[in-house]
Amino acid sequence: VQVVADQEGLILVDGKVVGVLPLAVPLLVPVGQHVVALEMRDKTMKGKVKVLDGRGVEMRFSRESGAVVVTLPPSVIVLAEYLGAPPPPIEIQRRLAQAAEQAIQKARLAIYGKDAALRRAPKLADCLTTLACQAQLAIRSEVDYVLPLRVERRSLPDEYALSMRLIDAEVEAVAATMQDGCKGCGSEQLTGTMTSAVQRLLKAGHGRPRGTLIIQSDPPGAEVRLGEQVLGRTPFDHAAFIGSYELTVQKQDYATETVRIVVQDGKKAKSLVSLSFREPAPAPLIEPPVGSGKPSRPRWRLVTGGVALGVG
């Protein structure tokens, strides 16, 4: 639970003091219904919150209006991977994970726990390196984004390479990518690099404008492709980032068609494709092999037969 207020004070959960504003990190609260109170110098405010498994919640206390607003901000599942020989030390991994989470929270997003997500979709645990699997994890967890994050420790001392991307669950596509690095740096500089990279990634990908892409075909059931990526089958109706797309629509026994379409912000881009039936190629003509016909009579038999007929 992230607690935000316009004045400092003590934070109590179910009557127990758990922190002081401003919070460095959100409160870890058990799943269920709770009462969160904010004790200021001359005023105490209370609000109820329902905590879901793995899902971040924001509570905003307004001293001026006396209102307590509870919201479920867009959530992000962080999939961190640490590589190298040897990989970064455990303490460095912990600090990097904390830096990434703080950058996400500063962007007014919430963290959704990886473990909680896999409890809802355990069969996806073995394919989390693929885009399709990452998008499905977000969809099944009812989460907005997945942030795969890779930290690689290079051969030189204190050299690290960071690479990350933001997967949009609604579009099921990469909204933004970011790469950064740090050479000869200590843990403070490395965590600063992580924070900056995550902030730039979220700025580029969070809330990216989108519309709806609708492709229909006659007959239906055709495969819709964007390059080598299979988007789905017709009738196809899915969210897509704004921009120009060149799609191919193909179905067995029909000629492949190319569709060029532009998706605009908040609008539906529609296209109806009529597929032409493709006649199958005629079967090849098979000639009998030489000498495969009826064997001819020997010449001496022909001559003998002619003489016999003459004598007769």
Side-chain angles (χ1 to χ4, degrees), residues 20-54:
V20 180
L21 283 182
L23 291 172
V25 294
L27 302 173
L28 293 179
V29 182
V31 172
Q33 194 82 22
H34 300 276
V35 176
V36 179
L38 176 61
E39 286 190 358
M40 295 168 279
R41 289 191 300 270
D42 56 351
K43 187 176 183 178
T44 299
M45 301 176 64
K46 294 183 179 180
K48 293 183 179 180
V49 62
K50 184 178 181 180
V51 177
L52 305 177
D53 185 19

Side-chain angles (χ1 to χ4, degrees), residues 54-277:
R55 185 69 186 256
V57 184
E58 181 181 275
M59 296 189 72
R60 186 168 291 273
F61 291 80
S62 175
R63 175 185 173 85
E64 183 177 352
S65 65
V68 180
V69 179
V70 179
T71 58
L72 288 174
S75 295
V76 181
I77 301 174
V78 178
L79 303 177
E81 184 179 12
Y82 300 96
L83 306 174
I90 297 300
E91 177 60 22
I92 294 293
Q93 295 183 23
R94 185 190 66 78
R95 298 188 66 172
L96 290 175
Q98 187 177 31
E101 292 181 2
Q102 289 178 350
I104 291 171
Q105 290 151 9
K106 287 182 179 179
R108 300 295 302 276
L109 302 173
I111 298 294
Y112 192 99
K114 174 185 174 181
D115 294 339
L118 289 177
R119 281 195 291 270
R120 301 185 66 172
K123 293 183 179 180
L124 299 178
D126 296 330
C127 65
L128 287 181
T129 57
T130 65
L131 172 60
C133 187
Q134 293 163 357
Q136 282 300 311
L137 182 66
I139 292 171
R140 297 189 187 184
S141 304
E142 300 178 5
V143 174
D144 304 89
Y145 299 102
V146 176
L147 199 164
L149 170 65
R150 174 179 292 184
V151 180
E152 183 179 0
R153 187 180 188 182
R154 299 290 173 83
S155 57
L156 296 177
D158 299 326
E159 181 181 358
Y160 294 89
L162 309 179
S163 61
M164 60 192 74
R165 57 183 184 171
L166 190 66
I167 311 299
D168 190 301
E170 182 185 19
V171 183
E172 298 183 51
V174 178
T177 60
M178 188 63 59
Q179 293 184 343
D180 209 332
C182 186
K183 295 183 179 180
C185 57
S187 59
E188 292 293 335
Q189 186 178 350
L190 181 60
T191 54
T193 301
M194 170 67 77
T195 300
S196 175
V198 174
Q199 288 175 341
R200 286 181 279 127
L201 178 76
L202 296 176
K203 184 177 180 180
H206 172 44
R208 184 173 166 184
R210 67 203 63 201
T212 304
L213 183 61
I214 301 174
I215 305 294
Q216 297 175 329
S217 68
D218 181 22
E223 192 175 70
V224 181
R225 285 177 170 265
L226 176 61
E228 297 297 325
Q229 181 185 2
V230 178
L231 300 181
R233 293 186 177 273
T234 57
F236 179 79
D237 186 336
H238 203 277
F241 295 126
I242 63 171
S244 178
Y245 293 86
E246 183 173 308
L247 309 173
T248 55
V249 182
Q250 58 189 44
K251 184 178 175 70
Q252 188 175 2
D253 298 330
Y254 290 84
T256 300
E257 298 291 339
T258 300
V259 178
R260 293 177 177 85
I261 193 167
V262 177
V263 178
Q264 298 180 353
D265 189 10
K267 297 183 179 181
K268 296 181 179 180
K270 300 180 181 179
S271 180
L272 174 59
V273 182
S274 296
L275 300 176
S276 302
F277 184 73

